[in-house]
Amino acid sequence: MKHLSTPIADEDLSGLNVGDKITISGTLYTGRDAALPQLVELIRKNEVPFDLKGIAIMHTAFSDAGIAPTTSSKVEIESTIEPLSKSGVKIHIGKGMLSDETVKSLNVHNSIFVITPPVAALLTSKVLEKKCVLFENEGMEAMFELKVDKIPGIVAVKDGKRI
């Protein structure tokens, strides 16, 4: 098991391979269908209120029931992966298969896609703190900043290869 802590540098990803089991600790951001397209719009306007370089984003909502990954291949989510990676996001966490085009864009920007088990109780137990940082009007689909300890995952896409 390999352990990563945010912010993630290019060197942190260099020793990883598709299929590696990892944990992620530090600051993690959440976003899904409602929030991620709005975040990309803020990038275009140069109005993101936090640094995207080296961050990890989990494709999830956050409610009192906890967190669990949503399907990353939804158009509203997958269409944001390339511009987010280009802006510095290093790890995208979710579930499902990504298109060949998205796999290539992750490779171009030295970012990875990590799948994590959709086990809300396990993942929620790894959240130490939470704070809404953007799009509060979206309710549980707002963007949250989480402090996490050892979110488990498996590298599903890296270097143009996939599981």
Short mmCIF file of all heavy atoms in Angstrom, two decimals, residues 59-92:
data_model
loop_
_atom_site.label_atom_id
_atom_site.label_comp_id
_atom_site.label_asym_id
_atom_site.label_seq_id
_atom_site.Cartn_x
_atom_site.Cartn_y
_atom_site.Cartn_z
N HIS A 59 -15.31 12.67 -6.59
CA HIS A 59 -16.59 12.84 -7.25
C HIS A 59 -17.68 12.32 -6.32
O HIS A 59 -18.05 11.15 -6.36
CB HIS A 59 -16.60 12.11 -8.59
CG HIS A 59 -15.51 12.56 -9.49
ND1 HIS A 59 -14.94 11.73 -10.43
CD2 HIS A 59 -14.84 13.74 -9.59
CE1 HIS A 59 -13.99 12.39 -11.08
NE2 HIS A 59 -13.90 13.60 -10.58
N THR A 60 -18.15 13.21 -5.44
CA THR A 60 -19.14 12.84 -4.44
C THR A 60 -19.87 14.08 -3.96
O THR A 60 -19.40 15.21 -4.13
CB THR A 60 -18.48 12.14 -3.23
OG1 THR A 60 -19.48 11.64 -2.35
CG2 THR A 60 -17.56 13.07 -2.45
N ALA A 61 -21.02 13.85 -3.37
CA ALA A 61 -21.72 14.88 -2.62
C ALA A 61 -21.38 14.61 -1.15
O ALA A 61 -20.80 13.58 -0.81
CB ALA A 61 -23.23 14.76 -2.85
N PHE A 62 -21.73 15.54 -0.28
CA PHE A 62 -21.48 15.33 1.15
C PHE A 62 -22.77 15.64 1.89
O PHE A 62 -23.28 16.75 1.84
CB PHE A 62 -20.35 16.23 1.67
CG PHE A 62 -19.81 15.76 2.98
CD1 PHE A 62 -18.61 15.07 3.03
CD2 PHE A 62 -20.51 15.95 4.16
CE1 PHE A 62 -18.11 14.60 4.24
CE2 PHE A 62 -20.02 15.48 5.36
CZ PHE A 62 -18.82 14.81 5.41
N SER A 63 -23.29 14.64 2.57
CA SER A 63 -24.51 14.83 3.36
C SER A 63 -24.27 14.26 4.75
O SER A 63 -23.20 13.71 5.03
CB SER A 63 -25.69 14.11 2.70
OG SER A 63 -25.55 12.71 2.84
N ASP A 64 -25.28 14.37 5.60
CA ASP A 64 -25.16 13.80 6.94
C ASP A 64 -24.98 12.28 6.88
O ASP A 64 -24.48 11.67 7.81
CB ASP A 64 -26.38 14.15 7.79
CG ASP A 64 -26.42 15.64 8.11
OD1 ASP A 64 -25.36 16.30 8.07
OD2 ASP A 64 -27.52 16.15 8.41
N ALA A 65 -25.39 11.67 5.76
CA ALA A 65 -25.21 10.23 5.59
C ALA A 65 -23.76 9.89 5.25
O ALA A 65 -23.37 8.74 5.31
CB ALA A 65 -26.13 9.71 4.49
N GLY A 66 -22.98 10.89 4.84
CA GLY A 66 -21.57 10.65 4.56
C GLY A 66 -21.21 10.83 3.10
O GLY A 66 -21.89 11.53 2.36
N ILE A 67 -20.12 10.19 2.68
CA ILE A 67 -19.62 10.31 1.31
C ILE A 67 -19.47 8.93 0.70
O ILE A 67 -19.18 7.96 1.39
CB ILE A 67 -18.27 11.06 1.23
CG1 ILE A 67 -17.18 10.35 2.02
CG2 ILE A 67 -18.43 12.50 1.68
CD1 ILE A 67 -15.79 10.92 1.84
N ALA A 68 -19.67 8.87 -0.60
CA ALA A 68 -19.40 7.68 -1.40
C ALA A 68 -19.25 8.18 -2.83
O ALA A 68 -19.91 9.14 -3.22
CB ALA A 68 -20.54 6.66 -1.28
N PRO A 69 -18.40 7.55 -3.62
CA PRO A 69 -18.15 8.06 -4.98
C PRO A 69 -19.37 7.94 -5.88
O PRO A 69 -20.16 7.01 -5.75
CB PRO A 69 -17.01 7.18 -5.48
CG PRO A 69 -17.17 5.90 -4.72
CD PRO A 69 -17.67 6.31 -3.36
N THR A 70 -19.50 8.90 -6.78
CA THR A 70 -20.52 8.81 -7.82
C THR A 70 -19.83 8.42 -9.12
O THR A 70 -18.60 8.39 -9.19
CB THR A 70 -21.31 10.13 -7.97
OG1 THR A 70 -22.48 9.89 -8.75
CG2 THR A 70 -20.47 11.23 -8.60
N THR A 71 -20.61 8.13 -10.13
CA THR A 71 -20.07 7.70 -11.42
C THR A 71 -19.34 8.84 -12.11
O THR A 71 -19.95 9.85 -12.44
CB THR A 71 -21.20 7.14 -12.30
OG1 THR A 71 -21.85 6.08 -11.58
CG2 THR A 71 -20.67 6.63 -13.62
N SER A 72 -18.08 8.66 -12.36
CA SER A 72 -17.23 9.72 -12.92
C SER A 72 -17.43 9.91 -14.41
O SER A 72 -17.05 10.93 -14.96
CB SER A 72 -15.76 9.40 -12.64
OG SER A 72 -15.55 9.32 -11.25
N SER A 73 -18.04 8.94 -15.08
CA SER A 73 -18.23 9.06 -16.52
C SER A 73 -19.48 9.84 -16.90
O SER A 73 -19.76 10.01 -18.09
CB SER A 73 -18.28 7.66 -17.17
OG SER A 73 -19.35 6.92 -16.63
N LYS A 74 -20.22 10.37 -15.92
CA LYS A 74 -21.34 11.26 -16.25
C LYS A 74 -20.77 12.46 -17.00
O LYS A 74 -19.71 12.98 -16.63
CB LYS A 74 -22.03 11.76 -14.99
CG LYS A 74 -22.75 10.71 -14.19
CD LYS A 74 -23.35 11.36 -12.96
CE LYS A 74 -23.81 10.37 -11.95
NZ LYS A 74 -24.25 11.03 -10.71
N VAL A 75 -21.46 12.91 -18.03
CA VAL A 75 -20.97 14.01 -18.86
C VAL A 75 -20.59 15.22 -18.02
O VAL A 75 -19.54 15.85 -18.23
CB VAL A 75 -22.01 14.40 -19.94
CG1 VAL A 75 -21.59 15.66 -20.67
CG2 VAL A 75 -22.23 13.26 -20.91
N GLU A 76 -21.42 15.57 -17.04
CA GLU A 76 -21.17 16.76 -16.22
C GLU A 76 -19.89 16.63 -15.40
O GLU A 76 -19.29 17.63 -15.03
CB GLU A 76 -22.34 17.02 -15.25
CG GLU A 76 -23.66 17.25 -15.91
CD GLU A 76 -24.42 15.96 -16.22
OE1 GLU A 76 -23.87 14.84 -16.03
OE2 GLU A 76 -25.57 16.06 -16.65
N ILE A 77 -19.47 15.42 -15.11
CA ILE A 77 -18.25 15.21 -14.33
C ILE A 77 -17.06 14.96 -15.25
O ILE A 77 -16.03 15.63 -15.14
CB ILE A 77 -18.43 14.04 -13.33
CG1 ILE A 77 -19.51 14.40 -12.31
CG2 ILE A 77 -17.11 13.71 -12.64
CD1 ILE A 77 -19.88 13.28 -11.36
N GLU A 78 -17.17 14.00 -16.15
CA GLU A 78 -16.03 13.65 -17.00
C GLU A 78 -15.56 14.83 -17.83
O GLU A 78 -14.35 14.99 -18.05
CB GLU A 78 -16.36 12.45 -17.90
CG GLU A 78 -15.12 11.96 -18.63
CD GLU A 78 -15.28 10.60 -19.28
OE1 GLU A 78 -16.37 10.00 -19.19
OE2 GLU A 78 -14.28 10.13 -19.86
N SER A 79 -16.48 15.69 -18.26
CA SER A 79 -16.09 16.86 -19.07
C SER A 79 -15.24 17.85 -18.29
O SER A 79 -14.58 18.71 -18.87
CB SER A 79 -17.32 17.55 -19.64
OG SER A 79 -18.10 18.13 -18.59
N THR A 80 -15.21 17.74 -16.96
CA THR A 80 -14.42 18.66 -16.14
C THR A 80 -13.02 18.12 -15.83
O THR A 80 -12.16 18.87 -15.38
CB THR A 80 -15.13 18.98 -14.80
OG1 THR A 80 -15.15 17.81 -13.97
CG2 THR A 80 -16.54 19.49 -15.03
N ILE A 81 -12.79 16.85 -16.05
CA ILE A 81 -11.52 16.23 -15.64
C ILE A 81 -10.34 16.86 -16.36
O ILE A 81 -9.33 17.19 -15.74
CB ILE A 81 -11.58 14.70 -15.81
CG1 ILE A 81 -12.58 14.11 -14.79
CG2 ILE A 81 -10.20 14.08 -15.66
CD1 ILE A 81 -12.82 12.63 -14.94
N GLU A 82 -10.43 17.06 -17.67
CA GLU A 82 -9.30 17.64 -18.42
C GLU A 82 -9.01 19.07 -17.97
O GLU A 82 -7.85 19.38 -17.64
CB GLU A 82 -9.57 17.58 -19.93
CG GLU A 82 -8.33 17.86 -20.77
CD GLU A 82 -8.00 19.33 -20.97
OE1 GLU A 82 -8.93 20.15 -20.94
OE2 GLU A 82 -6.82 19.65 -21.15
N PRO A 83 -9.99 19.99 -17.92
CA PRO A 83 -9.64 21.35 -17.48
C PRO A 83 -9.17 21.41 -16.03
O PRO A 83 -8.32 22.23 -15.69
CB PRO A 83 -10.91 22.16 -17.70
CG PRO A 83 -12.01 21.20 -17.94
CD PRO A 83 -11.38 19.92 -18.38
N LEU A 84 -9.69 20.55 -15.17
CA LEU A 84 -9.22 20.53 -13.79
C LEU A 84 -7.79 20.02 -13.71
O LEU A 84 -6.96 20.58 -12.98
CB LEU A 84 -10.16 19.69 -12.92
CG LEU A 84 -11.54 20.30 -12.68
CD1 LEU A 84 -12.45 19.29 -11.97
CD2 LEU A 84 -11.46 21.59 -11.88
N SER A 85 -7.48 18.96 -14.46
CA SER A 85 -6.11 18.44 -14.48
C SER A 85 -5.15 19.49 -15.03
O SER A 85 -4.06 19.69 -14.48
CB SER A 85 -6.03 17.17 -15.34
OG SER A 85 -6.79 16.15 -14.77
N LYS A 86 -5.55 20.16 -16.08
CA LYS A 86 -4.72 21.22 -16.66
C LYS A 86 -4.45 22.33 -15.65
O LYS A 86 -3.39 22.95 -15.66
CB LYS A 86 -5.43 21.79 -17.90
CG LYS A 86 -4.63 22.82 -18.65
CD LYS A 86 -5.36 23.28 -19.88
CE LYS A 86 -4.54 24.30 -20.65
NZ LYS A 86 -5.24 24.73 -21.87
N SER A 87 -5.40 22.55 -14.74
CA SER A 87 -5.27 23.60 -13.72
C SER A 87 -4.55 23.14 -12.47
O SER A 87 -4.41 23.91 -11.53
CB SER A 87 -6.65 24.14 -13.35
OG SER A 87 -7.24 24.75 -14.47
N GLY A 88 -4.10 21.89 -12.43
CA GLY A 88 -3.28 21.44 -11.32
C GLY A 88 -3.82 20.31 -10.49
O GLY A 88 -3.12 19.80 -9.62
N VAL A 89 -5.08 19.89 -10.70
CA VAL A 89 -5.62 18.77 -9.93
C VAL A 89 -4.84 17.52 -10.31
O VAL A 89 -4.68 17.20 -11.49
CB VAL A 89 -7.13 18.59 -10.20
CG1 VAL A 89 -7.65 17.33 -9.50
CG2 VAL A 89 -7.91 19.82 -9.75
N LYS A 90 -4.33 16.80 -9.33
CA LYS A 90 -3.49 15.63 -9.58
C LYS A 90 -4.24 14.31 -9.45
O LYS A 90 -3.90 13.33 -10.08
CB LYS A 90 -2.28 15.61 -8.63
CG LYS A 90 -1.25 16.64 -8.99
CD LYS A 90 -0.66 16.31 -10.33
CE LYS A 90 0.22 17.37 -10.89
NZ LYS A 90 0.55 17.13 -12.29
N ILE A 91 -5.26 14.27 -8.58
CA ILE A 91 -5.98 13.02 -8.37
C ILE A 91 -7.48 13.27 -8.47
O ILE A 91 -8.02 14.16 -7.82
CB ILE A 91 -5.66 12.41 -6.98
CG1 ILE A 91 -4.16 12.13 -6.85
CG2 ILE A 91 -6.47 11.13 -6.76
CD1 ILE A 91 -3.73 11.62 -5.48
N HIS A 92 -8.14 12.47 -9.30
CA HIS A 92 -9.59 12.47 -9.43
C HIS A 92 -10.06 11.13 -8.86
O HIS A 92 -9.58 10.08 -9.29
CB HIS A 92 -10.02 12.60 -10.89
CG HIS A 92 -9.48 13.83 -11.55
ND1 HIS A 92 -10.18 15.01 -11.59
CD2 HIS A 92 -8.30 14.07 -12.17
CE1 HIS A 92 -9.46 15.92 -12.23
NE2 HIS A 92 -8.31 15.38 -12.58
#
